[in-house]
Amino acid sequence: EYAARAREIVGGIFLWRKLDIHAPLYPYLLAFLQWLFSFDNPLIRAAHLLIGLLVIVPLCGAAWLAEGRRFTPAVAGTALIWAAYPPLIFYQGEYISETLVVLLLCSSIFCLYEGDGLAEPLAKGLGFLAAGGLLAGLAVTAHPLSAFFVVLETGFLCVKAVGRQGNAMKMIPPAVFLIGASIPVLAVISYNSLVLSAGLRIQDNAGFNFYLGNSSIADGTCKLRPGPEWSK
C-alpha cells in the first residue's frame, strides 16, 4: 500500500483521494526515493538503511546533552547499540513508516533536550521546543501511535513546569510543544474531514493489526492480505 501511494505521488497525485489504511506522511519519503533512484528497489532499501543509521545523529546529540554536553561512554554506547542492533537493521530496509517515525521522534527528543532548559535567549529555547513539537506531530502523521509520545511528553513538561519557580509563564514550554505538535496533525485531520468527509481521523482501519493481524497463526505480519477477506 505504501509503494502504491508513493507511485501516485511520483505521478503527480500529491494529495490522497481517499482515507488510506496507513497514515499519509511516509509515502512522500518513499516517493522521493523512488524518483531519486528510478524505482530501483535495492537502492531504495539501501537508502532506507542509511536513513535509519542517520538516527545516530539526533540520538547521540540527545545523549550528549543529557551528559552535560560531554562525550562520555554512555554517548559512545548509544551510537554503538543503534548502529549494530540487528532487528533495527533488518526492519529499516523494509518499506514501513517506522524508519521515518524513529528519525522524527529522536530528532524531537534532541530538540526537547536542547530547549527544555529554556536556553538564553528565551526565544531560542522556545524555538527548540516548538521544533520538537512539530517533529513529533509529523511523526503522528506518519504513524498515529506516535500520539502517545506527544501526550506523555506534554504531561512530562507540565510536571516539570509545576516544579519550577515563577508565575504562570512557566506553563509556556508545554504549551509551545503542544501547539507545534498540533499543526501537522490538525492539517491532516482537517483535510480528511473537510475534503474527504472521512471524519476526524488520520488513517482508516486504525488498530486493525492489533486485533486481527497478530493472531496465533500469523507470522509477524498482517494475517489478511488485500482482497475480499480484507474488505470484510
Side-chain angles (χ1 to χ4, degrees):
E1 294 89 2
Y2 281 134
R5 173 67 193 124
R7 286 193 294 271
E8 288 183 351
I9 296 170
V10 175
I13 304 175
F14 296 112
L15 293 176
W16 55 101
R17 296 177 176 177
K18 63 181 180 64
L19 190 65
D20 290 325
I21 64 170
H22 298 297
L25 184 62
Y26 167 71
Y28 290 93
L29 171 64
L30 185 55
F32 172 73
L33 296 177
Q34 288 178 344
W35 169 81
L36 184 65
F37 297 112
S38 301
F39 296 90
D40 188 309
N41 282 314
L43 288 178
I44 295 172
R45 292 182 184 276
H48 255 250
L49 289 170
L50 288 176
I51 292 171
L53 190 62
L54 183 64
V55 177
I56 285 179
V57 176
L59 193 65
C60 289
W64 177 72
L65 291 171
E67 292 290 292
R69 299 178 183 270
R70 294 179 298 114
F71 188 83
T72 66
V75 179
T78 300
L80 179 62
I81 291 171
W82 189 265
Y85 188 54
L88 285 173
I89 295 172
F90 176 82
Y91 282 110
Q92 285 168 355
E94 297 293 324
Y95 292 170
I96 54 177
S97 63
E98 282 76 4
T99 299
L100 176 59
V101 169
V102 173
L103 177 60
L104 290 170
L105 289 180
C106 287
S107 299
S108 174
I109 290 170
F110 170 79
C111 290
L112 289 166
Y113 267 107
E114 183 66 60
D116 188 33
L118 294 182
E120 297 293 341
L122 179 62
K124 179 182 177 181
L126 293 178
F128 274 109
L129 287 171
L134 183 63
L135 290 164
L138 287 172
V140 176
T141 66
H143 200 306
L145 282 179
S146 301
F148 283 109
F149 174 82
V150 174
V151 172
L152 292 173
E153 181 61 33
T154 302
F156 176 70
L157 290 173
C158 287
V159 170
K160 290 193 70 175
V162 170
R164 284 195 179 109
Q165 299 294 326
N167 52 26
M169 297 290 288
K170 63 186 180 181
M171 296 305 295
I172 288 180
V176 168
F177 170 78
L178 187 58
I179 291 171
S182 299
I183 292 172
V185 175
L186 289 176
V188 171
I189 288 177
S190 297
Y191 176 81
N192 289 339
S193 176
L194 299 176
V195 179
L196 303 181
S197 299
L200 301 176
R201 294 188 290 171
I202 293 175
Q203 66 180 38
D204 198 11
N205 286 357
F208 179 87
N209 196 46
F210 282 130
Y211 296 106
L212 295 179
N214 294 325
S215 69
S216 59
I217 60 173
D219 61 359
T221 59
C222 285
K223 174 187 173 185
L224 301 178
R225 292 299 171 191
E229 288 187 343
W230 177 283
S231 299
K232 182 179 179 181

